[in-house]
Amino acid sequence: MDGKEVVINITHLSKVFIRDRRRIIALDDFGLEVREGEFVCLLGPSGCGKTTVLRIVAGLEAKSGGSAKVEGKEVRDAGPDRGMVFQEFALFPWRTVRKNIEFGLEVKHVPETDRADVSKKLIEFVGLKGFEDAHPRELSGGMKQRVAIARALANDPKVLLMDEPFGSLDAQTRNLMQKELLRIWSARRKTVLFVTHSVEEAVYLADRIVVMTARPGKVREIIDVPLSRPRDRTSREFITIRSKVLGELEEEFEKARAGELSPE
C-alpha cells in the first residue's frame, strides 16, 4: 500500500467503561493507520476492544482519550463517509430489500428517482435481482447480509466498517459470503476495517491482520498477508500465516482466561 494516503488514523486511543461502579479499561494506547483501499482485520480475544475500535471510528461510541481520524478529520459522530455492517444484519423488518437499501438516502433527502436508481444498481451488484420487494423474513442469512452490505454502500462511503458480519452464518454460507465480499471490495476498492474472531477468515480476507492484546486492548502485532487472491486455504503459504497468527493469539487468550478466573 506504499504511496496510498492514510484514510483511518488512530493514535493513543483509549476507552473506559463504567459498569456497576467499576472502571473497565477496554482500550489503552491503541494505534493504527489504514491506507486507502486497504483491507485490514482486527483479531483478538473476546473483550479486547475490537468492536469498540470499530464503533469509535464509526462515530457510534465516544472515545475516552487519544485520536481517531478519517481523512484527516477527527471523528465526532456518524457520517456518510463511513458505512457500517453489523453481525445481526440490523435490517428493518417492515421494509423491503429496496427500501432497506434506500434508507440512508431517504435520511439525506435524496430524490426518490435518484434513490431508486442507486438501489437498482446495488441490488444487481450484490446479486439480489428479483428480490427487490421481498422482506427480510423471506431471505436467507446470506441474502440479508447482502442487503446490509448494499445499504452500507448506498451512500458511497470512503470506509466500510464491518463487525463480524458473517459470524452468525453457517460455515458454507460464510465461505461464500467471504468470496462475495472480496468481489465487491475488488470492484469498489473501499477501505475496509473488519472485526472477526476467525483466524482463517482474517487470513483469507486481509491485506494486514492486527492482533490485539487481551483487555485492555492494544496492538500486539500487525501481520502482513502477502498472498495473491483468490487464496487457497489449503496452501502451505496460507497455513504458515495462519499458524503465525495463532501463535500470536495463544498468549493473549491465556491472559484473557487468567483474567476471567482471577479473584476480584
Side-chain angles (χ1 to χ4, degrees):
M1 305 302 296
D2 290 346
K4 296 284 188 178
E5 70 165 307
V6 174
V7 175
I8 301 173
N9 187 11
I10 304 171
T11 56
H12 305 298
L13 188 66
S14 65
K15 178 62 182 181
V16 178
F17 292 100
I18 305 298
R19 295 285 186 269
D20 298 323
R21 299 182 181 180
R22 292 177 57 221
R23 190 169 178 267
I24 299 172
I25 304 174
L27 297 170
D28 181 30
D29 199 26
F30 180 91
L32 177 66
E33 289 185 349
V34 183
R35 296 187 178 277
E36 183 180 9
E38 194 175 14
F39 200 125
V40 173
C41 282
L42 300 180
L43 189 66
S46 294
C48 73
K50 301 184 296 294
T51 294
T52 301
V53 171
L54 213 66
R55 288 179 61 84
I56 289 172
V57 175
L60 302 176
E61 190 80 56
K63 61 185 180 293
S64 299
S67 175
K69 296 180 180 178
V70 174
E71 294 192 291
K73 297 179 181 179
E74 193 71 36
V75 173
R76 304 194 185 282
D77 50 27
D81 57 335
R82 286 148 287 146
M84 186 86 174
V85 180
F86 302 90
Q87 178 178 345
E88 65 274 14
F89 314 128
L91 302 178
F92 298 114
W94 61 89
R95 295 176 74 104
T96 63
V97 166
R98 180 188 292 109
K99 291 299 183 180
N100 264 288
I101 293 170
E102 292 178 6
F103 176 74
L105 300 175
E106 287 183 31
V107 171
K108 291 172 62 179
H109 304 292
V110 174
E112 184 176 356
T113 54
D114 293 339
R115 297 198 308 262
D117 184 56
V118 169
S119 63
K120 180 177 183 294
K121 290 176 181 176
L122 284 172
I123 285 167
E124 293 178 359
F125 183 62
V126 300
L128 287 174
K129 189 174 182 180
F131 292 90
E132 296 89 341
D133 298 318
H135 287 82
R137 65 178 179 275
E138 302 172 278
L139 306 177
S140 68
M143 294 169 77
K144 289 176 184 176
Q145 203 54 285
R146 289 171 190 250
V147 178
I149 292 170
R151 184 177 61 184
L153 291 172
N155 282 321
D156 194 26
K158 184 78 173 182
V159 174
L160 200 56
L161 303 168
M162 310 189 79
D163 187 11
E164 295 196 77
F166 310 139
S168 63
L169 305 178
D170 64 83
Q172 183 177 355
T173 304
R174 185 171 186 154
N175 286 350
L176 290 173
M177 286 304 299
Q178 289 167 2
K179 292 179 181 178
E180 181 67 7
L181 175 59
L182 287 178
R183 179 188 69 81
I184 292 168
W185 172 74
S186 296
R188 295 293 181 105
R189 282 296 170 180
K190 300 297 181 185
T191 302
V192 178
L193 191 57
F194 186 106
V195 166
T196 181
H197 274 100
S198 168
V199 173
E200 181 170 293
E201 182 169 70
V203 177
Y204 186 77
L205 293 174
D207 294 313
R208 291 189 297 149
I209 299 170
V210 180
V211 180
M212 294 179 64
T213 65
R215 192 174 66 230
K218 302 178 182 180
V219 175
R220 173 185 172 93
E221 188 71 35
I222 298 179
I223 298 172
D224 291 326
V225 188
L227 304 178
S228 60
R229 297 180 176 92
R231 293 172 179 168
D232 180 358
R233 301 171 199 260
T234 65
S235 72
R236 182 168 58 185
E237 296 81 5
F238 189 101
I239 293 169
T240 297
I241 295 173
R242 185 180 66 187
S243 296
K244 181 178 180 180
V245 176
L246 281 169
E248 294 289 342
L249 280 174
E250 280 180 358
E251 185 177 341
E252 296 307 323
F253 281 124
E254 286 302 315
K255 288 179 183 176
R257 183 172 180 273
E260 290 171 359
L261 296 177
S262 64
E264 293 294 326

